[in-house]
Amino acid sequence: MSTVTLIHGLNLAAIYGLMAIGISILWSSVGMINMAHGATFAASGYAAWQVSLIAQPLIAAWLGTGLDASIAMGATMIASGLGAGAIFGGLIFLLAYLPIHEKANFAVRSLIVTLAINLATVQLLLYFFGPRQRALPKIFGLGRTEILGIPIRNDQLGTIVATALLMLVVVIWLKRSRKGLEITAMMQNPEGAVLSGISVRWTALPVTMLTGALAGLAAILLSQTVFVSPTAGALPLIKGLTIALLGGLGSIPGAIMGAILIGFLEAIVGSISFLGQRYVLFSQFLFIITVLIIRPRGLGGLLDQTRESRNA
Amino acid sequence: MPEMKKLYEIGNRPREIFLSPDGETPTRRSRVPFTRRHWLKWRSRYNPKSLKLEKRLEDKKPLWWMLSLGLLLLVTPFLGNSALTVASIFCMFAAINVLWTLIIGTAGIFSLATLAVVGVSGYAAAAFNVYLGVPWPFMFVIGCLTGLVAGGVLALPSTRLDGLYFALLTLGIVEICRVFVQQLKSLGATNGSINQVDSFIPSDWFLQREGLLLGFFGAFALLLGALLLFKLVNSERLGMLLQTARDEEAFAEAIGIDYRRARLMVFMISSAGLGIIGAFYAMYYRSISPSIFSLDQLLLLFAMIVIGGIGRADGAVLGTAIVVLIDKGLLDLGPVRILIVAAIMLLVTLLTNNGLVGAREQFRNYRNRKKSEARARRTEKGGEVMPEEATDMPDKQEIFYRRFNKRLRDELKLLITPELIEEHRRKPLGRHSDALSRVLNYFRRSEMPDKYAILRQPENFNHYKIVALSGERGAPPRLVDDRLYESIDEAYHAVFLLRVNDLLES
């Protein structure tokens, strides 16, 4: 395997991981499959694009075009992506969680509601922004950096580093902070968490916002290589869902491992000349289906105890 | 025999359908050929008021089906070309959704790969026709067989994965189909679609009035077939087995129902049906394109069954009608129409328990609940038995006793006046006025627990205290208060006042 493939694989794994972890955390703590994750992705991409239109001249006027300016721009983009994702997550909480979380058959209902949100968001984006694709400013610059003698494209390096940092922050936050511990408690044992005085509602809000922010970040990072468009969320959503499924819904280590496996599979299949890009998706899904038939609870079952499906 | 009085038209009776048969001749109901089912669910009974024999139609749904489908069949041929196309698309999608309802509702397999099965079979049938020259009538057979195979492949993981896991997996399978078809090298020139498919519509009629009419009748026949299949599977043996197993799988297994096999059977049968629809789809459009595998199309179809209500054929058809009318009928609105569909979907899911067809039942339950709440608020309780607790009482005599008691107390409360109390104070024993003796009689008859008694103090002959009896053997009476009464008459009157107080408070 060449180093280029390796880096490419890591890059893809980082983005898929962000999507899959969001879906996984939301399922295990709230019991909701978020089909509007793709809509969050697209909406955050557009929000960041809108912000970049406003911020670019401002930053250029203030800091010129030096390194400071590009760092400021990058920070603005990431912040706007995270912020827009979190706000969208809050919206999902208001529409798909708060009104129905006590009714029967919540899992299917929330799935339907989030599907409707997804449908509506894509159409709204189409309505306001049109089907044209938009390019986000390159926040990591265009050149290559040499690390240990390996030349890496800046955007790939940036994506990998930013994702790794953010995941570290999320994991530490989940393990250390009070709210994070509450979320972890809900993931492990929802009834027990409720009995020990953790409010289900007010724990669900930060969870939806956090997962929304993760999708927003994924949108900013993926938009370094592809464009922002209203339907851009569909493929990341499906990949995120299937990777979360592969990792065993609800398990964070499983989702990370699934993302790495799928990312590398994509990079490797894409680099083999006689298979090429056209068989990437095919090979990925074949792999996922095979794993799921052998292990219905996904990879997470190997790593830790995943939560029983609430639907059962 | 006296002429029957006109019944007041209250309650549901005006909306029911009644026949008044002759009591002498036995009723005869014709059966559906080769089965033991009847066409309509007539039930005979004697009207409890007039004691006349009458036949009531228990299930009016067949009439509604006949009415709506008949109207569709009669009116559509006189509509314009675009409305004719909308009606044909409605019939096709309704057929798909009815079979999908069979999978999700009857079999309980949450599959989202329905359109994928339709698409795969459509592609197979079209490919056989275009590349191998198979004549069009055999396309149905090929579609059916492909559907069966696709159903079998899909059913494989469904035995291992449960519920939503399987749903997500099928979402991935749809995506695979789309990508696979788009990247087939042999279809590269046409962007993944197969064109010039032979059809039951002659090629010089295609997109003409005659062709559209023929297409509509074909689609209508397809819908009828799908409904028939739904009826055959859902309310015959397979459906019954699954209905038994719906809530308690372990119990069903224990009494010998192989519900997994039944589920797979239903899944395969519906997949075969979907395959036929796929072949029809390819023939109707004379081409088939990868857009049938797109996520948006799938979501739209899902919106249809969600809006109508999952698990019922009428829900599937109703939801399809609503969404197709908005999506295909209001083309001028542009992207807004998908927003309308999404908004309806959102509202229906947030507000109803099971789609629009369940709304009536839900509203009735809601109204009944509100009614009983209002009734509970209206009735002052006062010891009378509420209808809710009456069902739990084994001794129904108790209900009437308590009702009598309540009325008696209401009556006695009116008799209590300052003069009456004054009369008792002056002369606790002896002859009393009519009102006072009624009140005292009631007090004397009261139950033993908490009955008041007068206790002479052992240390002093003329000192009395008031106690309340426990009503239980062995349990001593309790002291009501510490007041000491100097004479027995004073104590009598104190007990009287306590009881009057209790009576007025009850």
Side-chain angles (χ1 to χ4, degrees), chain A residues 46 71 95 135 164 172 180 183 210 225 243 273 275:
Chain A
Y46 270 97
I71 289 173
L95 276 177
I172 290 174
I183 295 172
L210 169 74
T225 38
I243 289 171
S273 53
L275 285 175

Coordinates of all heavy atoms in Angstrom, one line a residue, chain A residues 46 71 95 135 164 172 180 183 210 225 243 273 275:
Chain A
Y46 N -23.9 25.2 3.7 CA -24.4 26.4 3.2 C -24.2 27.6 4.1 O -23.9 28.7 3.7 CB -25.9 26.3 2.8 CG -26.0 25.8 1.4 CD1 -26.2 24.5 1.1 CD2 -25.9 26.7 0.3 CE1 -26.4 24.1 -0.2 CE2 -26.0 26.3 -1.0 CZ -26.3 25.0 -1.3 OH -26.3 24.6 -2.5
I71 N -5.5 31.8 8.9 CA -5.8 31.1 10.1 C -7.2 31.6 10.6 O -8.1 30.8 11.0 CB -4.7 31.3 11.2 CG1 -3.5 30.5 10.8 CG2 -5.2 30.9 12.6 CD1 -2.3 30.7 11.7
L95 N -38.1 19.4 17.0 CA -39.2 18.8 16.2 C -39.3 17.3 16.3 O -40.4 16.8 16.3 CB -38.8 19.1 14.7 CG -39.3 20.4 14.2 CD1 -38.9 20.6 12.7 CD2 -40.8 20.5 14.3
A135 N -18.4 26.5 -3.9 CA -17.1 26.1 -3.3 C -16.8 26.9 -2.1 O -17.0 28.1 -2.0 CB -16.0 26.3 -4.3
A164 N -9.0 14.4 14.5 CA -8.4 13.7 15.6 C -8.5 14.5 16.8 O -8.9 14.0 17.9 CB -7.0 13.3 15.3
I172 N -12.9 13.1 25.7 CA -12.6 13.6 27.0 C -13.8 14.2 27.7 O -14.1 14.0 28.8 CB -11.4 14.5 26.9 CG1 -10.1 13.8 26.5 CG2 -11.2 15.3 28.2 CD1 -8.9 14.6 26.3
G180 N -21.2 15.4 30.1 CA -20.7 14.2 29.4 C -21.0 12.9 30.1 O -21.4 11.9 29.5
I183 N -24.5 12.0 29.8 CA -24.8 11.4 28.5 C -24.3 9.9 28.5 O -25.0 9.0 28.0 CB -24.1 12.2 27.3 CG1 -24.7 13.6 27.3 CG2 -24.2 11.5 26.0 CD1 -24.0 14.5 26.3
L210 N -24.5 18.3 19.9 CA -23.2 17.8 19.7 C -23.1 17.1 18.4 O -22.2 17.3 17.6 CB -22.8 16.9 20.9 CG -21.5 16.1 20.7 CD1 -20.3 17.0 20.8 CD2 -21.4 15.0 21.7
T225 N -12.7 19.1 -0.4 CA -12.4 18.3 -1.6 C -13.6 18.3 -2.5 O -13.4 18.2 -3.7 CB -12.0 16.9 -1.2 OG1 -12.8 16.5 -0.1 CG2 -10.6 16.8 -0.8
I243 N -21.9 2.9 8.3 CA -20.7 2.7 9.1 C -21.1 2.5 10.5 O -20.5 1.7 11.3 CB -19.7 3.8 8.9 CG1 -19.1 3.7 7.5 CG2 -18.6 3.8 9.9 CD1 -18.3 4.9 7.1
S273 N -6.1 -0.5 -10.1 CA -6.4 0.1 -11.4 C -7.6 -0.6 -12.1 O -8.5 0.1 -12.7 CB -5.2 0.1 -12.3 OG -4.7 -1.3 -12.4
L275 N -10.2 -2.1 -10.8 CA -11.5 -1.9 -10.1 C -11.9 -0.4 -10.2 O -12.9 -0.1 -10.8 CB -11.4 -2.3 -8.7 CG -11.4 -3.8 -8.4 CD1 -11.2 -4.1 -7.0 CD2 -12.7 -4.4 -8.9

